[in-house]
Amino acid sequence: MLCDLCKTKEATVFLTHLVEGNTQNLNLCEPCSQVHDMHDSMGFALADLLLGLGASHQIEKAALACPHCGFSQRDFKKQGRLGCSVCYDIFAEGLALMLRNMHRGVTHTGKVPRKIAAIYQRTAELEALKKSLAQAISKEAYEEAARYRDLIHRMEHTPAQQKENSSQALEEELLPPKNALPGAKNSHQ
Amino acid sequence: MTAESLSNKKNEWLFHSGPHAQIVVSSRVRLARNLEKRPFPGWAKKAERLQLMKEVQVALEALPQMKEAFSEQMENLTLLEKQVLVERHLISREHAEKSAGSALVISMNQTLSVMINEEDHLRIQAILPGFQLKETFALITQVDTQLEENLSFAFHRKLGYLTACPSNVGTGMRVSAMLHLPGLVLLEHMNKIINSVNKMGLVVRGLYGEGSDAIGNLFQISNQITLGEKEEDIIERLHVVIEQILAHETNARGVLRHQQTETLQDQIGRAYGILLHAHSVSTKEALNLLSLLKLGVDLGLFSLEVHALVDELFMEVQPAHLQKSSQLLKMTSKQRDALRARRLRETLEKIPPPGLNNNS
């Protein structure tokens, strides 16, 4: 199960909250539970929960607010506008239905900014190279593998300097974790 | 460029007539863009808005299209100056209400304008005279692509360009055309047209966009959907619909000219008479009557020189333009109505009465 907040990491902290007979579940990953101050005082928070003390309020807030700009679902109901671009991921679930009713489908098919299109393309190329590398290794064709490894190394290291933080972050999100690749660990030096 | 010289300059899109200009007054495309991870204007604190405004203003002023542009913070403009810009469709009514932390940049020929910190960080607009949707789109795409080099726009892999309101997400694009449809209004076909346009997923609005009346027989047609369709497809759909409306309006004018000549001459003659003799005219009445004069020119009831005079009046009778020309700081609407009537009389005196023999 993925974390309700970041939707990227596995949830390891599970909270259940009863409000007037309704069950609310909150599943968080380790980092998110720390950001929202639910880890350190876990024992106390649970006790708080059971006793209906201040903790419940905090959980509600954590579940419904954007960690980047602080915008909450309640604010959206009031304004009909979102707080920042990150909100689209935080409130994705609620927005999906709304977007489906408002538009023709829920996937953008138009223009992509050049910088981002370049990242998409590079990611696709890298993935293809890494596949070839894995195949070469399984065939024990090590010379071929070394060539792929060098190509990957060059791609991963040259244009990265020109990129801005933002696109780099996006790239990291798009790329599979580095150590998941065979032979990638000791591929240089 | 100063606010004074900006409002003294005629806007190119109104006075240089484009293709099918008798019916399609102007073509407009606007793009909503936001900077990545920065709070949207409605949620940002004043300091954040000010900071972002400066960054965007710098990026815009560096564009070749914005050479010698008019670039100003909203707090430095008077109420009257803002209103003049609204009447020229260079800023929205919402933007006119903004103050510190919002700005606008307008190109010298007024075909490109950018509102900074309206509902989104950037609202880029391109406007061209006549039926030129594709040309307008090409113009704005060039600006957008150049801006991307220096600004990181909020873009989502699945949802496309992210906007403050989910209704603009995806392309962030609204394409619209301003149509002058007196023929369809006189034959009472407009409701039918509006219904079928709505069925195509397009929206019909009045002269000043959302929630405004269709005065002066002017209608804006635009797309509603921004997600799930390519920019080019949205434009194509609108293009096809406008071509059909164009044909219907031309048809309606033909019917009026040949089968209902009396009705037509009566309507245009009355409009001429009122404008020539009235001493108090509201904006709405003026635009409605001027629309009939415009139709008269298109159908050959006036000589062709009248066209420019009527087009100019269309802008000059609007409240802010009128008050600006009077040099008065404050005017009541009654005073404006009187001044408007005087301006109209002065111009109409130069125009001979309508007649079917005026076709030169």
Side-chain angles (χ1 to χ4, degrees):
Chain A
M1 189 189 295
L2 291 180
C3 168
D4 284 342
L5 288 185
C6 63
K7 317 248 186 219
T8 52
K9 292 183 206 73
E10 195 65 23
T12 51
V13 179
F14 305 98
L15 294 168
T16 303
H17 183 207
L18 281 161
V19 187
E20 292 165 4
N22 294 317
T23 325
Q24 287 186 337
N25 289 311
L26 185 63
N27 311 308
L28 301 176
C29 66
E30 197 72 12
C32 285
S33 72
Q34 269 167 12
V35 167
H36 296 283
D37 201 17
M38 280 182 206
H39 189 68
D40 286 347
S41 51
M42 209 45 229
F44 296 106
L46 269 177
D48 269 6
L49 256 181
L50 292 169
L51 296 168
L53 295 178
S56 58
H57 176 65
Q58 201 163 9
I59 289 162
E60 192 188 358
K61 224 173 85 186
L64 302 172
C66 171
H68 186 72
C69 73
F71 190 84
S72 74
Q73 202 139 350
R74 207 174 302 127
D75 293 315
F76 183 70
K77 279 192 186 125
K78 233 186 292 165
Q79 308 185 2
R81 309 279 183 273
L82 289 159
C84 72
S85 50
V86 180
C87 289
Y88 275 93
D89 284 321
I90 304 305
F91 305 114
E93 235 168 277
L95 279 169
L97 184 71
M98 181 189 264
L99 290 171
R100 197 164 298 130
N101 291 334
M102 247 174 202
H103 296 286
R104 191 167 290 205
V106 287
T107 309
H108 176 60
T109 54
K111 185 177 180 181
V112 178
R114 202 150 63 187
K115 278 189 260 182
I116 291 176
I119 294 169
Y120 286 179
Q121 204 197 340
R122 221 173 74 97
T123 310
E125 282 169 15
L126 262 172
E127 260 158 27
L129 281 174
K130 282 170 180 171
K131 220 172 167 181
S132 308
L133 172 67
Q135 275 169 357
I137 290 170
S138 67
K139 282 193 302 193
E140 301 191 8
Y142 294 115
E143 264 180 53
E144 205 183 319
R147 216 174 52 239
Y148 286 128
R149 183 201 61 200
D150 292 345
L151 278 173
I152 292 168
H153 183 180
R154 207 175 310 148
M155 260 186 99
E156 280 181 341
H157 288 79
T158 35
Q161 295 148 349
Q162 303 158 6
K163 262 179 275 132
E164 288 163 47
N165 298 337
S166 54
S167 30
Q168 215 162 0
L170 182 69
E171 185 183 24
E172 273 157 22
E173 183 193 311
L174 295 174
L175 285 173
K178 280 192 181 134
N179 54 14
L181 297 156
K185 251 181 200 166
N186 44 12
S187 64
H188 38 89
Q189 277 128 35
Chain B
M1 190 162 43
T2 62
E4 185 64 30
S5 59
L6 179 76
S7 48
N8 286 339
K9 238 174 98 89
K10 288 177 178 180
N11 31 351
E12 191 166 287
W13 60 263
L14 186 67
F15 292 99
H16 294 227
S17 57
H20 298 288
Q22 288 190 347
I23 295 171
V24 187
V25 180
S26 61
S27 301
R28 194 145 57 116
V29 180
R30 78 109 167 96
L31 298 175
R33 295 288 184 259
N34 288 282
L35 301 196
E36 210 170 36
K37 305 215 166 137
R38 309 279 286 270
F40 296 136
W43 186 246
K45 295 183 179 70
K46 190 174 165 189
E48 292 170 320
R49 283 202 313 265
L50 281 167
Q51 169 63 27
L52 184 135
M53 178 191 79
K54 281 180 198 138
E55 284 170 44
V56 174
Q57 240 181 330
V58 168
L60 284 169
E61 285 165 14
L63 292 176
Q65 293 93 330
M66 288 298 187
K67 206 169 159 246
E68 292 178 61
F70 172 74
S71 177
E72 192 58 87
Q73 301 181 26
M74 292 312 282
E75 59 180 322
N76 296 338
L77 294 176
T78 66
L79 204 65
L80 191 60
E81 285 166 337
K82 290 176 180 177
Q83 201 51 43
V84 166
L85 295 170
V86 172
E87 289 175 2
R88 290 186 179 201
H89 295 276
L90 292 172
I91 62 171
S92 63
R93 286 187 291 191
E94 292 74 24
H95 202 57
E97 283 161 25
K98 302 275 166 158
S99 181
S102 292
L104 81 140
V105 180
I106 301 174
S107 72
M108 199 157 57
N109 61 10
Q110 305 186 24
T111 56
L112 277 174
S113 62
V114 183
M115 294 183 273
I116 307 173
N117 282 334
E118 197 232 33
E119 182 181 298
D120 293 295
H121 293 147
L122 287 94
R123 284 282 178 103
I124 313 166
Q125 175 186 275
I127 186 164
L128 289 176
F131 192 21
Q132 304 195 68
L133 292 178
K134 287 166 193 175
E135 291 79 357
T136 315
F137 175 64
L139 183 69
I140 204 164
T141 302
Q142 197 189 23
V143 174
D144 179 49
T145 306
Q146 279 170 327
L147 277 176
E148 272 166 19
E149 296 295 314
N150 297 317
L151 299 172
S152 282
F153 291 145
F155 187 85
H156 190 281
R157 284 162 79 194
K158 192 163 169 253
L159 299 176
Y161 290 96
L162 299 178
T163 52
C165 182
S167 63
N168 294 317
V169 90
T171 59
M173 182 177 82
R174 186 130 297 154
V175 192
S176 68
M178 178 82 76
L179 307 180
H180 183 231
L181 305 173
L184 290 169
V185 172
L186 283 176
L187 292 185
E188 296 176 0
H189 288 173
M190 229 17 241
N191 282 341
K192 229 165 45 191
I193 298 271
I194 292 175
N195 282 338
S196 49
V197 169
N198 287 343
K199 280 194 193 114
M200 299 280 297
L202 302 173
V203 195
V204 184
R205 297 192 173 100
L207 181 58
Y208 289 107
E210 242 157 303
S212 68
D213 287 347
I215 50 175
N217 300 321
L218 290 165
F219 298 86
Q220 277 186 69
I221 299 196
S222 60
N223 65 307
Q224 177 116 44
I225 289 159
T226 55
L227 181 62
E229 232 182 335
K230 270 197 191 113
E231 286 87 350
E232 289 80 1
D233 295 345
I234 295 175
I235 288 181
E236 188 53 40
R237 208 149 51 91
L238 200 69
H239 191 95
V240 168
V241 168
I242 290 169
E243 261 177 349
Q244 284 170 355
I245 298 176
L246 251 169
H248 284 303
E249 172 66 20
T250 309
N251 229 336
R253 290 182 185 193
V255 169
L256 285 167
R257 181 85 164 81
H258 299 293
Q259 292 165 27
Q260 304 190 19
T261 319
E262 221 165 89
T263 316
L264 181 72
Q265 282 184 304
D266 180 59
Q267 292 281 337
I268 294 171
R270 281 166 182 274
Y272 177 84
I274 293 170
L275 291 173
L276 183 62
H277 296 293
H279 283 252
S280 176
V281 181
S282 70
T283 308
K284 188 175 173 179
E285 187 183 16
L287 292 178
N288 284 340
L289 297 174
L290 284 171
S291 159
L292 290 168
L293 289 199
K294 203 169 150 74
L295 176 67
V297 180
D298 292 344
L299 294 180
L301 273 71
F302 295 100
S303 61
L304 283 171
E305 309 89 77
V306 177
H307 218 255
L309 291 175
V310 173
D311 276 349
E312 201 158 338
L313 281 174
F314 251 93
M315 202 45 93
E316 289 311 312
V317 298
Q318 298 198 39
H321 277 79
L322 194 71
Q323 182 163 339
K324 209 175 168 303
S325 71
S326 78
Q327 312 271 343
L328 288 171
L329 281 177
K330 236 180 140 47
M331 272 178 107
T332 63
S333 68
K334 215 173 156 191
Q335 284 173 309
R336 268 200 301 270
D337 289 353
L339 178 65
R340 185 176 295 115
R342 201 172 78 218
R343 290 279 152 77
L344 286 164
R345 286 198 310 273
E346 284 164 4
T347 307
L348 268 282
E349 274 162 15
K350 294 181 226 155
I351 304 173
L356 284 172
N357 304 323
N358 270 322
N359 209 345
S360 51

